[in-house]
Amino acid sequence: QKEVEQDPGPLSVPEGAIVSLNCTYSNSAFQYFMWYRQYSRKGPELLMYTYSSGNKEDGRFTAQVDKSSKYISLFIRDSQPSDSATYLCAILYSGAGSYQLTFGKGTKLSVIP
Amino acid sequence: GAGVSQSPSNKVTEKGKDVELRCDPISGHTALYWYRQSLGQGLEFLIYFQGNSAPDKSGLPSDRFSAERTGGSVSTLTIQRTQQEDSAVYLCASSPSPGTPYEQYFGPGTRLTVT
C-alpha cells in the first residue's frame, strides 16, 4: 500500500484558471506537509510547508490540510504559464531519531496562454 | 546566496564500474539528505546525515550504495559495481538543522546513466 497517492495528471488549464492539486496519505503519524515544484531537469523547489489542519496562504498559492481525511491540497490562483511544472506533495515522518520525507509521484501541470 | 550544488550534472558509466556523486549543501546547513528519482517511481529517500553521522541508512537499496559526509559539509554518494537499474537522477537536499526537516532545499541533481 503506497503511503502517499497523487494523481499524475497531466493537468492542462488555461491561463488565469484556479488549479487544484491533491494528495492522500495513509500514515497518521505523518507530521509535516510540503509542496514542491519541479521544472524539467531541475531539482524540486520548496513552495510551502505546514503542519496543522487548515489553510496556509502564500501569494497565489494556498496549501490545505485535512488530517481527519488524510487529504492535502494545493490551490494556485490566477495560474500563469510559468506555473507549468510538476508539483510534488511530500509528507514528513519523524521517529526514532530520523526524519523521512515520503513523496507523491507528482502531478504535471501545463498552463496554456 | 548559493544553493545546493551537485557534481557531476551528468554521468554515463559502464555496468560494473564504480561512481562517486558529490553534494555541496547550503553553507551552514547541518542536515543533508540523498534521494533518487526514477521515471515512474517518484522520489525515493536514500540516506540522511546529521552533521557527519548518518542515523538513518534505511533507504539505501543495497550494500553497493554507501555515503559519507566530512567536515559537516560535503557529502559523497558512492555506488559500486553499477547496474542498469541504478540509472536515475540522484538528488541531494540540505536543511538548516535536524530540527527543520520540513525545510529541505534541493540541488539540481546528478543524472546517472548506466550502459
Side-chain angles (χ1 to χ4, degrees), chain B residues 1-4 8 11 17 27-28 30 45 48 53-54 58 64 76-77 82 85 97 99 101 103 108 110 112 114:
Chain B
V4 177
K11 177 72 176 178
K17 300 278 191 182
S27 177
T30 57
F45 168 80
Y48 154 65
S53 64
S58 63
R64 294 187 296 105
T76 303
L77 177 69
T82 52
E85 61 263 28
S97 76
E103 193 179 345
T110 294
L112 176 66
V114 182

Side-chain angles (χ1 to χ4, degrees), chain B residues 3-112:
Chain B
V4 177
S5 61
Q6 292 185 248
S7 61
S9 55
N10 284 282
K11 177 72 176 178
V12 180
T13 190
E14 291 179 354
K15 178 181 172 182
K17 300 278 191 182
D18 297 352
V19 294
E20 280 191 356
L21 312 179
R22 178 187 166 108
C23 172
D24 280 273
I26 292 173
S27 177
H29 280 198
T30 57
L32 186 146
Y33 309 79
W34 283 98
Y35 297 87
R36 179 167 71 173
Q37 189 172 33
S38 307
L39 270 177
Q41 297 299 315
L43 266 156
E44 174 190 9
F45 168 80
L46 297 179
I47 189 169
Y48 154 65
F49 283 93
Q50 183 174 317
N52 291 335
S53 64
D56 188 356
K57 303 179 182 180
S58 63
L60 294 177
S62 77
D63 59 8
R64 294 187 296 105
F65 287 73
S66 63
E68 65 174 12
R69 189 178 185 197
T70 56
S73 181
V74 171
S75 177
T76 303
L77 177 69
T78 301
I79 309 173
Q80 295 178 310
R81 305 181 303 281
T82 52
Q83 304 294 312
Q84 287 186 329
E85 61 263 28
D86 299 333
S87 296
V89 177
Y90 288 83
L91 290 156
C92 173
S94 68
S95 65
S97 76
T100 56
Y102 45 81
E103 193 179 345
Q104 294 186 25
Y105 299 92
F106 282 80
T110 294
R111 184 172 297 272
L112 176 66

Side-chain angles (χ1 to χ4, degrees), chain A residues 8 21 103:
Chain A
L21 304 165
F103 284 84

Side-chain angles (χ1 to χ4, degrees), chain A residues 32-34 36 38 41-46 48-49 88 92 96-105, chain B residues 33 35 37 40-43 45 48 50 55-56 58 91 98-99 101-108 111:
Chain A
Y32 279 85
F33 308 89
M34 282 72 69
Y36 284 85
Q38 187 172 25
R41 294 189 170 259
K42 301 286 187 185
E45 172 194 4
L46 179 65
M48 300 178 70
Y49 63 84
L88 303 162
L92 180 70
S98 176
Y99 301 100
Q100 194 168 123
L101 275 183
T102 300
F103 284 84
K105 289 190 176 181
Chain B
Y33 309 79
Y35 297 87
Q37 189 172 33
Q41 297 299 315
L43 266 156
F45 168 80
Y48 154 65
Q50 183 174 317
D56 188 356
S58 63
L91 290 156
Y102 45 81
E103 193 179 345
Q104 294 186 25
Y105 299 92
F106 282 80
R111 184 172 297 272

